[in-house]
Amino acid sequence: MIFFTMAEHLFRRDYMELLQDKILEEALALKDEMIKNRRHLHEHPELGMDLKQTQAYVAERLKEMGYADVKRVGQAGLTVTVGQGTGKTILLRADMDALPILEDNELPYKSKIDGRMHACGHDMHTTMLLAAAKILKKYEQEIPGVVKLMFQPGEETMEGAKDMVAAGILENPRPDAGVMIHVMPGMPFDPGALTVTGAGPSMASVDWFKITVIGTGGHGSMPYLAVDPIVPMTAIHSGLSAIQSRELPPNAVVAVTVGEISGGVTSNVIPGEMVMGGTIRTYDEKHRQFIKERMTEIVTHIAKAFRCEGTVEFPAGAPFFESSKELSEHIQKVLPAYVGADKALPVFDSDVPAMGSEDFAVISQEIPACVMILAASDARKGQTYGVHHPKLILDEDALPYGAAAYAGVALSWLAANQ
């Protein structure tokens, strides 16, 4: 019996090697379908955790592929599994939410909803995972384990991964590893080229903050009868920059960014309230906590010094992303077989720390995880707009390679880890 099991394993391993050439071929054959799905999602962007149309669209496509177990997870997430139901499990994740950005393009499939845009490529991510789901379903009997697909809301607001974890995405079955793809525009590579994060911390933690300063409004001609919240807010803005320059070591990898200041309705009225919002990003949990504590002290005391009330809220956040050494090395090894040697780039390594954040980091703190990075526009051809820009245009030629990478990495990892 032991000999039979080993022989069966060797046969399956050889068969998986034969599948390598098929995966990209299958993905390329699905390109037109992927473009259709991607453009539908791009035209109908939804925000945060409110993804009713997107969730329904993804669920319907999965059911058409033969997935009978489409399950809602949390507020707006979806999951299905494919494979033999025994052995190891690998998680593949795609995020589905858009951004509150007014698209500044004249594409035939531009956003139909003013003030919303898929400016971070989540429409591409969802489309590629749908295509991978179709490929994996076709070869389900050959999958040596279980592939669990995670369609996630609320990545931009750092709510979605936490919500899906709380709702059980890491249970029944519990994944043994997790992989996501993120598009990267403006890279000097052909669309479809892929790299992977190396071992260790690879993306920063993030905390959103909201600072509110409350004074007493009044007429612009009589400021002495008002308590102007603009004055302490400007002092707070200056004080925040001193945290990094004066209170942290010079080698601290930190970014404190203010992205929003609002208050007032007209020029001759002193407002009663000012609001300032932004993000804190670090690679050190001690620095992360220290900044939040000092921010609270600075806001409270500066506001009080100007006879105002100041408060700070931290409504959402995520830890830094921990990239698995073993999983990264596996992906580096197998990518050429599934997307072609010309599309497989060396491991992602930058002299400048990547301060971008990703709430899949929540998953990376629970199971070994990695991020594959997909070139989706060519800077050599003048396509230089980055993510979160209203003029961003992503190259749909990249779609088949992302789909092949999702499917290929899942199949190869399962085969190598049974």
Side-chain angles (χ1 to χ4, degrees), residues 30-360:
L30 292 172
K31 183 178 178 181
D32 288 345
E33 180 179 313
M34 280 192 272
I35 289 174
K36 179 182 177 182
N37 285 335
R38 186 258 168 156
R39 293 187 178 185
H40 174 88
L41 295 169
H42 193 88
E43 287 180 328
H44 303 89
E46 295 181 291
L47 304 179
M49 304 296 284
D50 186 12
L51 305 183
K52 294 181 180 65
Q53 292 185 43
T54 303
Q55 186 186 46
Y57 185 85
V58 171
E60 187 61 30
R61 300 290 79 75
L62 291 168
K63 290 174 183 176
E64 289 173 354
M65 297 172 196
Y67 286 94
D69 65 335
V70 182
K71 296 177 183 176
R72 180 167 178 159
V73 182
Q75 292 184 51
L78 290 172
T79 189
V80 293
T81 57
V82 58
Q84 296 306 300
T86 58
K88 298 283 188 178
T89 298
I90 187 168
L91 179 74
L92 302 180
R93 180 272 217 164
D95 37 15
M96 304 186 290
D97 57 320
L99 284 156
I101 292 175
L102 178 65
E103 184 164 12
D104 188 14
N105 288 316
E106 293 306 321
L107 299 168
Y109 55 91
K110 71 176 290 187
S111 173
K112 291 183 177 180
I113 305 176
D114 286 345
R116 297 183 188 179
M117 177 189 176
H118 270 292
C120 200
H122 297 187
D123 52 340
M124 301 274 281
H125 303 164
T126 300
T127 296
M128 293 184 294
L129 190 55
L130 279 172
K134 192 166 190 175
I135 295 168
L136 292 167
K137 193 66 174 175
K138 181 175 180 177
Y139 294 103
E140 183 167 22
Q141 297 306 312
E142 282 72 46
I143 297 176
V146 178
V147 184
K148 193 171 195 176
L149 309 184
M150 176 181 178
F151 292 91
Q152 182 202 304
E155 189 281 327
E156 296 294 353
T157 57
M158 298 292 144
E159 299 172 282
K162 288 180 182 177
D163 180 68
M164 291 189 73
V165 169
I169 190 64
L170 297 183
E171 303 166 11
N172 303 318
R174 180 173 177 83
D176 300 286
V179 179
M180 58 163 279
I181 290 178
H182 204 297
V183 296
M184 185 62 69
M187 296 174 73
F189 303 111
D190 294 334
L194 286 126
T195 182
V196 62
T197 52
S202 58
M203 285 188 286
S205 68
V206 63
D207 289 285
W208 293 69
F209 64 81
K210 178 184 177 183
I211 296 170
T212 304
V213 176
I214 299 174
T216 303
H219 198 287
S221 66
M222 295 176 284
Y224 58 90
L225 296 179
V227 180
D228 189 350
I230 296 176
V231 178
M233 189 62 91
T234 58
I236 289 167
H237 184 271
S238 297
L240 296 185
S241 64
I243 297 175
Q244 185 169 358
S245 65
R246 294 294 181 270
E247 300 192 50
L248 290 171
N251 62 344
V253 182
V254 168
V256 179
T257 302
V258 172
E260 175 191 8
I261 300 179
S262 60
V265 292
T266 188
S267 300
N268 66 341
V269 175
I270 294 170
E273 180 177 302
M274 290 290 295
V275 175
M276 181 162 65
T279 57
I280 304 165
R281 300 173 195 268
T282 78
Y283 272 93
D284 186 303
E285 284 297 314
K286 291 182 180 179
H287 291 164
R288 182 185 181 194
Q289 187 60 35
F290 174 78
I291 293 168
K292 292 164 77 172
E293 291 171 357
R294 287 295 292 131
M295 183 176 287
T296 301
E297 292 171 351
I298 288 168
V299 169
T300 302
H301 293 298
I302 288 179
K304 186 176 182 179
F306 287 94
R307 298 185 296 131
C308 292
E309 179 185 351
T311 60
V312 186
E313 301 171 67
F314 301 99
F320 66 82
F321 190 97
E322 183 72 30
S323 185
S324 162
K325 179 178 185 293
E326 293 76 13
L327 187 55
S328 175
E329 290 175 350
H330 174 82
I331 293 172
Q332 293 170 51
K333 179 181 177 182
V334 303
L335 267 182
Y338 287 99
V339 301
D342 60 323
K343 296 290 188 183
L345 303 174
V347 65
F348 180 76
D349 189 18
S350 174
D351 294 335
V352 179
M355 298 308 292
S357 304
E358 167 58 66
D359 79 338
F360 196 62

